Amino acid sequence: MKNLNIDFKWIGASTWILKVGDLKIACDPILCDINTIIDLKFFKAKRRTKPQFVNSDFENIDIWLLTHNHSDHIDELGMSKISSSSKVYSHKNIKPWFANRSLENVSFMDWADKIHTNSKGYEIEIEAITCVHGSNYISAILCGGVNGYWIKIRKDGQSLEIYVTGDTINHSKMKKHIKGRKADILIPNMGGGGLDKFGGPFSYTADLLKDTVTITRPSVILPVHHTSFSLFKEPIEELYKWNDDRIIEFGEGQTINLQEYLFKNNTGFTSKI
């Protein structure tokens, strides 16, 4: 895998595309335009930035990861970008979005479910990871279920491990689930969503992320899910203040080549199989 390009493009909010060679993985298609008002049941929010994509970004997506059914994570335009030929791994609360679509390549996953698949010569394991989407018991129940995902990609005797946190806070259930693992790439949902609301925040702040980084020891940290919507209250600069060279700073629409970060000092990939 060292000879393959590994590129990451942040579209905005929780939407991104990761390319490992010719394998394409995408997450949470929320593509509403700037100034769109979204309804989050107990409050509304405005999109502050325009999602940065071209239609070709969503061509030939091999794997879609859908974390949960909130309107800052999925919408009609986003759903239209999911091809019937893509394999979709989703929380079960997104099932209504597939009412008029084929479920042939769709897998609805509960926490700790693992699915093995193959695509383009890669062996891929996807595990649904525990998320707690609220800072107290009531808000976590009201916010509903969310999946994070742990992805292992294997080829030619090497593996790449990616942790997609989904919307979660620093909770003992989540930490128990990821204990003892090492992530090459950590993609945390930041922003301190709903920091000013009852039971908030509903996603990581810089302070809440610390334990996850300590546990997973990532080689690269790619923060998303900040800035794009008005409900994201903590500026991403709070995370940048760590001055940790594993944290890559990038903007919406920017593509980052991860080779130099992953293979610095010959680290970044997990042990050979």
Side-chain angles (χ1 to χ4, degrees):
M1 271 195 219
K2 286 187 177 182
N3 297 323
L4 297 177
N5 272 331
I6 302 176
D7 293 327
F8 181 86
K9 181 175 182 178
W10 184 35
I11 306 298
S14 56
T15 310
W16 49 261
I17 297 168
L18 178 69
K19 293 176 66 177
V20 180
D22 58 349
L23 181 72
K24 290 179 75 174
I25 301 171
C27 186
D28 282 358
I30 173 68
L31 300 177
C32 58
D33 207 352
I34 188 171
N35 294 324
T36 298
I37 305 297
I38 61 168
D39 190 345
L40 290 156
K41 230 188 268 189
F42 301 105
F43 59 93
K44 292 179 169 53
K46 179 188 284 191
R47 185 146 200 168
R48 297 189 290 206
T49 60
K50 187 178 182 67
Q52 299 297 314
F53 68 94
V54 293
N55 287 327
S56 60
D57 286 332
F58 298 108
E59 292 176 358
N60 303 312
I61 300 291
D62 299 289
I63 290 172
W64 274 99
L65 304 172
L66 306 182
T67 64
H68 66 299
N69 189 13
H70 277 180
S71 54
D72 61 324
H73 286 258
I74 193 166
D75 63 7
E76 291 284 359
L77 179 57
M79 281 295 296
S80 74
K81 304 300 183 184
I82 300 180
S83 168
S84 59
S85 63
S86 299
K87 294 179 180 178
V88 180
Y89 302 92
S90 174
H91 192 281
K92 58 190 175 184
N93 60 22
I94 295 181
K95 195 168 187 177
W97 284 96
F98 289 90
N100 298 310
R101 295 169 61 99
S102 170
L103 293 175
E104 183 179 355
N105 290 320
V106 182
S107 299
F108 296 105
M109 302 179 70
D110 293 317
W111 296 340
D113 284 353
K114 291 183 182 179
I115 295 177
H116 294 83
T117 186
N118 293 277
S119 183
K120 298 177 178 175
Y122 300 87
E123 297 176 25
I124 304 160
E125 178 187 281
I126 298 171
E127 180 181 355
I129 300 293
T130 303
C131 291
V132 178
H133 195 13
S135 292
N136 64 38
Y137 178 79
I138 295 173
S139 65
I141 293 295
L142 293 174
C143 284
V146 182
N147 283 347
Y149 294 100
W150 196 285
I151 307 153
K152 297 180 182 178
I153 302 172
R154 298 183 177 92
K155 189 175 185 180
D156 298 332
Q158 292 181 306
S159 67
L160 182 71
E161 302 206 16
I162 304 151
Y163 178 28
V164 180
T165 69
D167 280 8
T168 190
I169 52 111
N170 181 28
H171 194 279
S172 58
K173 288 183 180 179
M174 175 275 297
K175 290 189 284 189
K176 182 179 180 181
H177 199 158
I178 63 172
K179 184 179 179 180
R181 307 179 190 224
K182 176 167 187 333
D184 297 300
I185 300 173
L186 173 65
I187 307 176
N189 282 9
M190 302 300 300
L195 192 59
D196 60 337
K197 306 295 183 185
F198 169 79
F202 310 125
S203 63
Y204 282 126
T205 61
D207 188 59
L208 291 176
L209 183 64
K210 289 177 181 176
D211 282 356
T212 298
V213 170
T214 298
I215 292 167
T216 61
R217 297 164 291 129
S219 300
V220 173
I221 302 172
L222 302 171
V224 298
H225 192 269
H226 60 83
T227 307
S228 309
F229 282 98
S230 61
L231 76 151
F232 303 153
K233 296 300 182 182
E234 182 180 85
I236 194 58
E237 286 74 20
E238 292 300 311
L239 183 63
Y240 297 160
K241 287 178 183 178
W242 288 10
N243 293 319
D244 187 325
D245 62 7
R246 295 173 297 175
I247 299 169
I248 303 179
E249 299 183 22
F250 53 87
E252 292 162 306
Q254 189 173 353
T255 298
I256 305 295
N257 185 277
L258 300 180
Q259 298 296 100
E260 63 177 296
Y261 301 98
L262 284 170
F263 299 114
K264 187 165 50 178
N265 301 321
N266 293 318
T267 63
F269 277 91
T270 53
S271 301
K272 295 210 169 189
I273 298 170

